[in-house]
Each structure stands twice: as structure tokens, then as C-alpha cells.
Amino acid sequence: LRYELDWKNIRRIFTRENVRALIWCSPHNPSGRAWSVEELRQLVLLCREMKVLIISDEAHSDLMLWGGRHVPIGVVAKDCGYLGGVVTLSSPGKTWNLAGLHAGFVIIQDPSLRAKYLNVVEHAYLHFGSTFATTGMMAAYNNGGPWLDKCLLPFIESNIVFLDRFVKTKLPFLRVMRPDASFLVWIDFSGLGLDAVNQKGGSKSALCNFLLNEARIMISDGFSFGGANTASFMRINVACRQSILNEAMVRLLNAVERCGLP
């Protein structure tokens, strides 16, 4: 189970909607998909051709799994002669759990675009981080590498393998999209046969009610990521003790058996 880019449809949407800016997620959230150099090159060339600004959210880029390496879209854009058409957003918040510090950064290579950005944020003092945020960010990037490589990434990989095996052996009607990056796992629950969208089109569906009230687990519902098209999916955070992950999956298994699903 893996997402692929539909280039013909992307071009069609760009033309039909007169798109001027694309908010890109690399690695992708919620699927954890890491885009290849060739995919990024095709995207940059298409955006250059159609004069579309790329705003790339790369907040999960430090969490590449299975030995993979993140490719910043800015590097590809430079090779394609479109560095001025890319804005990169990132943060140590996901990897080092510093979200509470509001520690993030923006990379804008084009001087004119950077000036426009600063003109909007400077008056509100949003163009620099607080002392805590800056100190935390520098500590993470300067000293946090060994912990990331030797502790966090193997821990996340172990939990993903555990989850994948549990689903394949005990809940085979679910489908796990194994991520290339991040601590979030995208799971297809359509095999349960429960309605994923309620009659009013919202996310409070039979599937959501089952997970919350029968399985007694709360995970991110797919409807919030793409409406009806992704409503049968759920996103689970595996950055926890494996005993907690196991308890969640056992609760799900027990609820499935108790309710006679699928």
C-alpha cells in the first residue's frame, strides 16, 4: 500500500484552478511517504513551467527511517534553476519534541519574496524565535544527532514493525502503509465494513464511534486529512512505549471479535 503522484491530474488541477502556490509536505503526512529525487524534480519542473510557488513543509525530514536520507526540495530546485520558487518550512519540534517552544524556521532564497515575508511578520516580532526556542533548536541540531540515530529512530522502527506484524497476523483485513519517515502510521480500516462518513458528511462516523466507544482508543480520523476520500483511514502515533501500543492493538482486536467484525 503506497501513494503515487498522478502527474496528469496535478497538471489538470493547476490549469483549471489557476494555482499560484502549492503547499507541499515532504515527507508526506499522514502517509510517511518520502518523495524520490525524480518525483521532486518532476514537481519542480512542472511548478517552474506553470509559475507555481512551492511552500514545502519538511518538519518530519529528520525522521527518515530504514536508512533513508531526506532530499530537501530546495536542493532539487537549485539544480532545476527554480530555487527562487521554493519556500522551505521546518522545525526540530517533531523530532526532539520541542513543539511547545514554537521553534521553527523558514528558508526563502529569493530576496524579493523574503522581503515581502519580513514585511508581514516583522511588525509582530515573528521573524525570530524566543531565547528558549533558539537555544533548544541549536541544542537539538548541534548535539541531538547521536540520540536520534542510536535511540529514537531504532525505537520508532521497532514499533512500526511490531504494529505491522500484529495487523498482518491478527487483523489481516486492515492494511498498514509502512512509512518511509516519521512516527505516524496510516492504516486502511475499510476492511471492517463500517461506514467511514456519517449521513451529514462529517467525521463522526460508525467507524470513529467503533474505535472510540467499543475499542476505547482515540486515533486521528482520516476524514480530517482528505474528506470522504480518506475517511476509511486512521493515523496512529507509534512514538510511545511498545506496551502502550500493544494495549491499543489488543483493545482493537478484542472489540473486533466482540462485535463480530468484519
Side-chain angles (χ1 to χ4, degrees), residues 57-232:
D57 175 359
E58 303 188 5
H60 288 92
S61 61
D62 298 310
L63 290 165
M64 292 293 293
L65 305 170
W66 328 113
R69 292 182 65 84
H70 174 67
V71 180
I73 198 169
V75 173
V76 178
K78 182 178 180 181
D79 292 339
C80 294
Y82 197 54
L83 187 56
V86 171
V87 173
T88 301
L89 314 175
S90 196
S91 166
K94 300 294 184 184
T95 304
W96 287 279
N97 201 23
L98 300 179
L101 295 182
H102 293 183
F105 57 90
V106 184
I107 302 173
I108 306 174
Q109 295 284 349
D110 181 78
S112 176
L113 185 60
R114 189 188 315 125
K116 291 179 181 178
Y117 168 79
L118 290 174
N119 188 51
V120 172
V121 300
E122 274 186 325
H123 73 282
Y125 301 99
L126 296 175
H127 59 300
F128 61 89
S130 69
T131 300
F132 289 120
T134 302
T135 302
M137 183 184 300
M138 292 176 65
Y141 285 129
N142 288 332
N143 306 310
W147 171 82
L148 172 63
D149 294 334
K150 296 179 181 179
C151 297
L152 182 61
L153 294 180
F155 177 84
I156 293 173
E157 290 171 351
S158 175
N159 276 358
I160 292 172
V161 170
F162 170 82
L163 174 67
D164 195 25
R165 287 176 178 170
F166 191 105
V167 169
K168 286 180 178 177
T169 57
K170 300 179 180 180
L171 297 163
F173 35 83
L174 305 184
R175 296 194 300 163
V176 173
M177 188 178 293
R178 183 178 287 209
D180 301 318
S182 187
F183 47 83
L184 304 169
V185 181
W186 196 228
I187 305 176
D188 180 8
F189 278 77
S190 60
L192 283 181
L194 297 172
D195 289 337
V197 181
N198 67 23
Q199 294 180 350
K200 296 183 179 180
S203 62
K204 302 304 180 183
S205 62
L207 175 58
C208 291
N209 288 332
F210 166 78
L211 292 172
L212 180 60
N213 299 315
E214 295 294 340
R216 304 297 293 171
I217 60 175
M218 180 176 284
I219 51 183
S220 302
D221 70 276
F223 187 92
S224 62
F225 293 96
N229 290 333
T230 56
S232 64

Side-chain angles (χ1 to χ4, degrees), residues 218-248:
M218 180 176 284
I219 51 183
S220 302
D221 70 276
F223 187 92
S224 62
F225 293 96
N229 290 333
T230 56
S232 64
F233 283 82
M234 293 285 160
R235 191 189 70 174
I236 185 170
N237 185 334
V238 300
C240 60
R241 294 197 307 272
Q242 198 165 105
S243 59
I244 294 177
L245 183 59
N246 179 69
E247 180 180 348

Side-chain angles (χ1 to χ4, degrees), residues 7-21 46-47 49-52:
W7 295 110
K8 290 183 178 179
N9 197 37
I10 292 173
R11 177 180 287 273
R12 187 181 304 116
I13 292 172
F14 276 10
T15 302
R16 184 185 68 213
E17 303 296 335
N18 192 30
V19 172
R20 286 294 168 260
L46 176 60
C47 289
E49 174 192 341
M50 306 194 74
K51 297 181 174 57
V52 174

